[in-house]
Amino acid sequence: MAADGRQFSGLSDAQVRAFDTAAREARSFRESLPRRPARPTLSLDDAVGRFLGPLPEGGMPEDEVVAQIVQESDGGLHSMAAPTFFGYVLGGSHPVGVAADFLVSAWGQNSGTSFETPAITGMERAVCDWVIDLLGLPSGSGSGLVTGGTVANMVGVMAARHALLAAQGWDVEAHGLFGAPEVPVIIGQDAHSAPFAALRYAGFGAKRVHKVATDAEGRIDPDAFRDALSQCDAPPLVILQAGQINTGAFDPFSELIPLVRAKQGWVHVDGAFGLWVAAVPELAERLSGVSDADSWAVDLHKWLNAPFDAGMVIVRDRAPLVASMSARGAYLPDTTAYWEPADTTPELSRRARGVPSYAILRHLGRTGVRELVMRHCRLANQIAKALSAEPGIRVLNEIHSNQVAIACGDGPDGDTLTMRTLERVQGRGKVYPTHGEWAGRKIIRASVIGYAMQDADADLLSAEIIDAFRWCQDHPE
Ligand SMILES: *Cc1c(COP(=O)(O)O)cnc(C)c1O
């Protein structure tokens, strides 16, 4: 007890030990990644079973809780942060971001209002400025740091909803969508599921859209697009894509966006991972024209390798973004003129989500980000080349960025062979690609995106797939 009778000492002994244990175990987990199997060794039921059961009547000291969580999670964690993880499109949680993330939790800042957390505001504004600059998007755009690509798409679509309906004299925030003028929606047939979720959340409906035909790489076909536009009798919401999930391809922005402009429409770009290619001057031409859109969704926990969860919405005209998101209570500081996280995101209370990204950007610098993205694109090419050289294995896509779509054999038998090959690769536990479907085929999909991935990891992936493929051919079911 302090001399004046106050008891709060900051941390109790058990709490100090809890902090120390967490830091030590966090470090030892990351150091053990090279020796860990690529995927969990426990079954789902076994892993989940360790945690379910009645809530204990009595509690447990903090340090013991942390130690037990570590112990009980063993075998039930995936090596997603390792350079052997090629599944989905996931960043590898860069250690400097993870370290900064410890601070985010320890600082306990509710960062919804900048007035109360000025240092966080400084770092988060820097992240927004830097990312907009890196991606070559219009400076002065509005932006918000959200939980990921899905929410970033939702916020972008809601800003569009505000602007398009306001232009038709309708205040959607006040009156909702019942009785509102129609807003046509156009989207590519090979879009990710996230923009469809965004359309649902924003009240547009996932099916009330015009899906436009795409080419062999999943890019919107300009003629089909023109046709769809010509059928719009009001300014449309158009959703384009930077980075198709299977092929990594980009829609032809410079051809499509002026057509939408001519119709006074709004272009939103889902660039969850692919927009980062714009940060590389040597490759940026692939996204030529993308900066002419009205809003963009991008993930920080994908190519920037921020720890989960972090994404960003960027809107050229900040006003519709604020109009759609801001929900001010009378008890909040009146800082209307300033940069308020709660004005551009759906959350009010929020963790200092941008701090880990700030740390990563400070660590990498402009050069480091470019090197990272360029290296991954180079490695994707390297994987495609190695696999294409194996008779019976085909890479179905051109390498536009970091995604490789791999098929074994041909036809229905080929699909079976592909899935058996994938299962064997995953089962061997050295690398972890995942599955998908592309061009009417089941595929093994490899995403090169983890911060630590180097040539040897790409070569290991290729060798594992080729080995497994040969084995499956030699051992028919
Ligand atoms: C990952 C991804 C999303 C969804 O982002 P989350 O961060 O998972 O919510 C949306 N679009 C594309 C193209 C993606 O790759």
Side-chain angles (χ1 to χ4, degrees), residues 89 147-151 153 192 194-195 241 243 245 270 272-273 299 301-302:
V89 192
T147 50
T150 304
V151 174
N153 276 297
H192 192 272
Q241 181 165 254
I245 195 83
D270 175 16
F273 67 95
D299 262 316
H301 60 214
K302 284 182 181 168

Side-chain angles (χ1 to χ4, degrees), residues 20-246:
D20 291 349
T21 303
R24 196 178 54 245
E25 292 293 344
R27 175 180 157 181
S28 114
F29 177 77
R30 296 298 287 254
E31 287 177 335
S32 73
L33 283 175
R35 299 180 298 279
R36 278 177 185 269
R39 68 172 184 180
T41 48
L42 280 183
S43 73
L44 177 61
D45 282 346
D46 287 348
V48 171
R50 289 184 177 178
F51 300 99
L52 296 186
L55 172 67
E57 213 45 59
M60 187 190 277
E62 293 91 335
D63 53 339
E64 285 179 36
V65 172
V66 172
Q68 287 224 349
I69 288 175
V70 169
Q71 215 174 48
E72 289 164 3
S73 301
D74 196 42
L77 298 175
H78 209 125
S79 297
M80 289 177 173
T84 47
F85 188 89
F86 293 89
Y88 312 101
V89 192
L90 306 189
S93 298
H94 195 292
V96 71
V98 173
D101 211 34
F102 296 172
L103 295 177
V104 170
S105 291
W107 286 340
Q109 307 291 292
N110 182 337
S111 309
T113 54
S114 62
F115 179 75
E116 308 291 359
T117 56
I120 306 302
T121 301
M123 285 187 262
E124 295 201 326
R125 283 190 64 169
V127 168
C128 290
D129 289 352
W130 290 349
V131 170
I132 287 171
D133 176 38
L134 272 168
L135 302 180
L137 301 179
S139 65
S141 293
S143 53
L145 295 172
V146 294
T147 50
T150 304
V151 174
N153 276 297
M154 181 195 81
V155 176
V157 163
M158 289 177 104
R161 187 182 75 163
H162 172 90
L164 289 169
L165 285 170
Q168 296 200 59
W170 186 265
D171 178 350
V172 68
E173 280 73 36
H175 304 300
L177 284 172
F178 295 111
E182 291 271 320
V183 174
V185 179
I186 299 177
I187 188 168
Q189 180 170 280
D190 291 313
H192 192 272
S193 59
F196 290 100
L199 290 168
R200 281 168 42 207
Y201 304 155
F204 284 114
K207 288 198 169 161
R208 204 193 127 276
V209 296
H210 192 133
K211 279 197 207 174
V212 178
T214 47
D215 69 9
E217 301 293 320
R219 293 169 297 213
I220 286 180
D221 172 58
D223 288 331
F225 188 77
R226 272 190 198 87
D227 191 44
L229 263 186
S230 73
Q231 293 170 41
C232 296
D233 33 25
L237 164 60
V238 172
I239 301 182
L240 304 182
Q241 181 165 254
Q244 206 285 332
I245 195 83
N246 294 304

Side-chain angles (χ1 to χ4, degrees), residues 358-423:
Y358 177 80
I360 295 170
L361 288 166
R362 270 280 287 268
H363 165 66
L364 291 176
R366 192 183 295 278
T367 317
V369 174
R370 287 175 177 172
E371 185 280 327
L372 179 81
V373 174
M374 204 142 83
R375 166 163 38 100
H376 290 150
C377 294
R378 177 175 64 75
L379 294 179
N381 267 303
Q382 192 165 310
I383 292 165
K385 201 166 159 204
L387 292 176
S388 303
E390 174 72 13
I393 297 185
R394 274 195 306 138
V395 171
L396 301 182
N397 64 315
E398 292 169 25
I399 306 303
H400 305 273
S401 50
N402 65 332
Q403 302 292 106
V404 191
I406 304 146
C408 305
D410 285 302
D413 290 349
D415 281 352
T416 308
L417 186 56
T418 305
M419 288 300 101
R420 285 183 64 216
T421 301
L422 175 62
E423 199 177 319

